[in-house]
Amino acid sequence: MSELHSIAARMVAKGKGILAADESTGTCTKRFESIGVESTSESRCDYRSALFTSPGLESYISGVILYDETFRQKIVGTNHLIPEYLQSKDILPGIKVDTGAHPLKEGSEEKNTTGLDGLSERLGEYYALGARFAKWRAVITLGDGIPSDECILANAEGLAKYALLCQQANLVPIVEPEVLMDGTHTIESSFEVTDKTLNTVFEQLEQHHVDLKGIVLKPNMVLSGYDCDNQASIEEVAQQTLECLTKNVPSEVPGIAFLSGGQSNDLAISHLNEMNKKDTDWNVTFSYGRALQQDALKIWAGNLENTNATQGALLSRAKANSLATKGNF
């Protein structure tokens, strides 16, 4: 287990965070359409190669979450597989292993994440290919009369079973229970559902004998619903989020790497920075996708001549978030 502990600690090292570049082909295609670029396996590889070869990226990024397609591709113009190239830069390669969120029951708005079938074989293959951590995302929706206890429990059980299989395969599991912030709900409702979700997730992790020193938690921040008339201040979001985590996350967990959800790039940094002005039991960092990549994607626009400017935009965001992990932004 000591290898898992040291990798988990590296993933959440002070001043560094995780780049989520594990967009599914469908999601990546939508992002490319927004900039007028055709999404092909080649164009996706061109874009990600530009990101990963950013000079000095390893100063701010400890690990990169990859999608299966990307995991098997080579950095453009080289003979290096992407995981091997990342390792050469002292960046840990990770892999998204869930197969998506599907309706909990027919006609239900609630979702349950799938992907446990055949997972241990897949994890073994990914480890052999160079993966050192994995990711599984559970989705909890707030709405009229939801989430149900059944939905929270089903997702927490899935996360715990996945986490145990990861550790058995020598991979650090990123445990990602995301309470979605779409809607008109208040920050109080957000706190209540996040509190219940985290409580259930840690109950399940303990019941399944998952080693908490060898995981990274990737939760949502506690925010007002995006369509709520009363938007909580940066200070209140930081205070409510830390209170919720302190109540539910054992101190053995080495670190918390927040997802950005639908927050603006700037708010995601400001909230993280505010939290890091306080002392906590864990390293508190970021695992952002869009909030790190959005500026870079627009500049790249499918043109290799824009590579330097693309990399500059990514590095600028990564550096700002790195400062926020120390409360120095």
Side-chain angles (χ1 to χ4, degrees):
M1 282 294 183
S2 58
E3 185 192 358
L4 288 176
H5 297 171
S6 65
I7 286 174
R10 265 179 72 190
M11 287 165 68
V12 292
K14 199 40 107 180
K16 293 189 182 184
I18 297 163
L19 170 60
D22 59 326
E23 303 87 359
S24 65
T25 302
T27 301
C28 203
T29 298
K30 280 184 201 149
R31 304 245 165 108
F32 277 24
E33 279 169 359
S34 75
I35 54 164
V37 173
E38 189 189 352
S39 177
T40 63
S41 64
E42 288 76 20
S43 63
R44 292 189 291 272
C45 188
D46 285 346
Y47 170 60
R48 284 165 171 150
S49 292
L51 296 182
F52 303 154
T53 55
S54 298
L57 186 65
E58 63 277 10
S59 302
Y60 316 116
I61 298 296
S62 59
V64 178
I65 312 169
L66 302 169
Y67 188 61
D68 180 81
E69 174 188 71
T70 322
F71 211 86
R72 300 167 193 280
Q73 289 177 324
K74 291 179 176 172
I75 292 284
V76 171
T78 77
N79 211 20
H80 293 297
L81 282 166
I82 286 174
E84 177 185 272
Y85 174 79
L86 290 170
Q87 281 185 325
S88 76
K89 287 184 76 152
D90 202 29
I91 295 174
L92 293 159
I95 179 74
K96 168 192 156 75
V97 296
D98 68 72
T99 52
H102 302 277
L104 184 63
K105 295 184 202 147
E106 203 177 326
S108 169
E109 280 179 76
E110 299 194 288
K111 301 270 199 290
N112 187 29
T113 300
T114 56
L116 290 170
D117 290 346
L119 181 57
S120 72
E121 291 77 13
R122 289 193 290 134
L123 293 172
E125 185 197 1
Y126 286 131
Y127 184 86
L129 288 169
R132 289 301 172 260
F133 68 93
K135 188 199 92 159
W136 175 290
R137 174 177 177 251
V139 183
I140 307 293
T141 308
L142 267 82
D144 196 14
I146 59 172
S148 62
D149 291 353
E150 181 191 1
C151 172
I152 292 174
L153 180 59
N155 279 289
E157 269 185 333
L159 280 166
K161 287 174 179 172
Y162 138 83
L164 183 61
L165 288 171
C166 282
Q167 291 187 337
Q168 288 168 347
N170 277 323
L171 293 166
V172 171
I174 289 183
V175 174
E176 180 176 1
E178 179 176 7
V179 176
L180 295 178
M181 293 298 147
D182 303 306
T184 56
H185 55 273
T186 61
I187 192 170
E188 288 77 17
S189 298
S190 170
F191 183 99
E192 192 182 318
V193 175
T194 304
D195 174 47
K196 191 170 191 177
T197 300
L198 288 174
N199 182 276
T200 309
V201 166
F202 279 97
E203 271 179 5
Q204 287 297 317
L205 290 170
E206 282 170 21
Q207 279 182 28
H208 285 79
H209 307 294
V210 172
D211 178 3
L212 297 183
K213 290 181 182 168
I215 73 166
V216 169
L217 180 68
K218 180 172 177 172
N220 53 283
M221 297 181 191
V222 176
L223 309 164
S224 313
Y226 295 134
D227 299 321
C228 178
D229 292 338
N230 182 16
Q231 289 292 315
S233 67
I234 287 165
E235 293 74 20
E236 191 181 356
V237 167
Q239 184 263 321
Q240 294 269 359
T241 303
L242 288 177
E243 186 182 325
C244 194
L245 293 169
T246 303
K247 200 173 154 192
N248 292 294
V249 182
S251 57
E252 300 97 285
V253 174
I256 289 170
F258 284 107
L259 57 90
S260 54
Q263 297 181 73
S264 73
N265 305 348
D266 293 334
L267 266 180
I269 292 176
S270 299
H271 287 142
L272 181 65
N273 189 62
E274 190 64 30
M275 284 184 236
N276 275 298
K277 291 178 181 174
K278 317 276 191 296
D279 284 331
T280 62
D281 286 339
W282 336 267
N283 270 345
V284 176
T285 184
F286 58 92
S287 175
Y288 295 165
R290 195 187 41 74
L292 281 170
Q293 295 182 47
Q294 200 169 26
D295 304 344
L297 180 66
K298 285 179 185 162
I299 291 168
W300 173 71
N303 187 343
L304 285 177
E305 289 173 13
N306 297 337
T307 297
N308 287 352
T310 301
Q311 294 176 339
L314 173 66
L315 290 168
S316 164
R317 279 283 159 201
K319 184 179 182 182
N321 278 291
S322 165
L323 290 168
T325 68
K326 302 172 185 172
N328 291 337
F329 176 65

